[in-house]
Amino acid sequence: EDQVTQSPEALRLQEGESSSLNCSYTVSGLRGLFWYRQDPGKGPEFLFTLYSAGEEKEKERLKATLTKKESFLHITAPKPEDSATYLCAVQEGNTGTASKLTFGTGTRLQVTL
Amino acid sequence: SQTIHQWPATLVQPVGSPLSLECTVEGTSNPNLYWYRQAAGRGLQLLFYSVGIGQISSEVPQNLSASRPQDRQFILSSKKLLLSDSGFYLCAWSLREKLFFGSGTQLSVL
């Protein structure tokens, strides 16, 4: 059974204070690892997909990296508008055409002035 | 561009009452469609997915059912709601493995 564990559960940063969120996973044949951002009361918004160990993706102040056992979401010089819950999800191979993602419980990030 | 519509945004229902949540997608044809539930303190849980009209796969045995009467319409239903059905329900469609979510329905069963 696929498992996704995210840490920490909650993180409070001051504006400009860089940090990393962790996503460790267990899956039989990784087809893709996904990062989403979710604001309160809204649906998750897609950020990145990583497919193989060593891959990196960047978007503004966010950079996602992937190893064979975990992924990190690095946040450089965060701003208050980066406050949200960040979700990690994995998809194993052999699921046909459906995107059956297994999600972690997320990291709630709060960035203060 | 593709858009996904989900309604209602919030819903308060008594135990034992029926449920119908609707989701429609615009700007694409024959999308894969999904219903997820997000309970407090838990990750998103896949409930149902559909790869075509009338084709429904259930991931978790439960009190809910899903239907896809039209290509871009996905409906989540229940004949009698339980307290444990409370949660945040999300409809999604996929494009090359990426999921794109609707705005969600917060369901409270009292």
Side-chain angles (χ1 to χ4, degrees):
Chain A
E1 181 180 328
D2 299 349
Q3 287 191 327
V4 180
T5 303
Q6 292 189 246
S7 62
E9 288 187 13
L11 181 62
R12 185 169 179 162
L13 300 173
Q14 287 196 322
E15 184 175 12
E17 180 186 1
S18 301
S19 188
S20 296
L21 312 182
N22 177 263
C23 171
S24 61
Y25 63 90
T26 304
V27 64
S28 302
L30 181 69
R31 184 168 166 181
L33 185 139
F34 303 80
W35 282 99
Y36 284 83
R37 169 193 170 127
Q38 186 175 22
D39 292 305
K42 297 189 176 181
E45 175 188 344
F46 171 79
L47 292 174
F48 304 108
T49 308
L50 301 167
Y51 294 103
S52 58
E55 189 175 359
E56 297 183 354
K57 293 274 182 74
E58 284 190 68
K59 180 180 180 180
E60 296 181 355
R61 295 175 293 282
L62 301 176
K63 183 170 80 172
T65 61
L66 181 65
T67 71
K68 289 186 177 180
K69 294 183 178 181
E70 57 191 351
S71 177
F72 292 93
L73 185 65
H74 306 279
I75 303 177
T76 302
K79 298 182 178 182
E81 53 262 43
D82 295 321
S83 298
T85 295
Y86 291 86
L87 301 173
C88 172
V90 298
Q91 183 178 1
E92 66 170 345
N94 302 320
T95 60
T97 63
S99 295
K100 296 167 60 176
L101 303 189
T102 299
F103 282 83
T105 54
T107 293
R108 293 190 314 277
L109 174 66
Q110 184 181 12
V111 182
T112 59
L113 293 171
Chain B
S1 64
Q2 300 88 357
T3 57
I4 180 168
H5 303 279
Q6 188 181 344
W7 66 92
T10 60
L11 191 60
V12 180
Q13 292 284 96
V15 171
S17 64
L19 172 73
S20 180
L21 302 181
E22 190 165 340
C23 169
T24 60
V25 180
E26 295 178 358
T28 185
S29 59
N30 197 31
N32 288 348
L33 298 173
Y34 309 80
W35 278 110
Y36 276 83
R37 177 171 60 200
Q38 188 173 35
R42 300 185 62 182
L44 274 77
Q45 181 185 36
L46 178 60
L47 302 176
F48 302 94
Y49 69 92
S50 171
V51 298
I53 296 174
Q55 300 179 61
I56 308 295
S57 296
S58 174
E59 288 294 295
V60 182
Q62 60 207 315
N63 185 41
L64 302 169
S65 62
S67 62
R68 185 171 177 173
Q70 299 181 38
D71 182 43
R72 289 170 288 178
Q73 183 185 30
F74 205 22
I75 297 172
L76 183 69
S77 305
S78 174
K79 292 182 179 178
K80 289 185 178 182
L81 284 169
L82 305 172
L83 287 174
S84 57
D85 291 324
S86 294
F88 191 48
Y89 288 83
L90 289 155
C91 180
W93 69 281
S94 64
L95 175 64
R96 290 192 292 274
E97 302 162 341
K98 300 174 189 175
L99 283 178
F100 297 93
F101 289 89
S103 53
T105 295
Q106 183 65 53
L107 172 65
S108 298
V109 182
L110 306 177

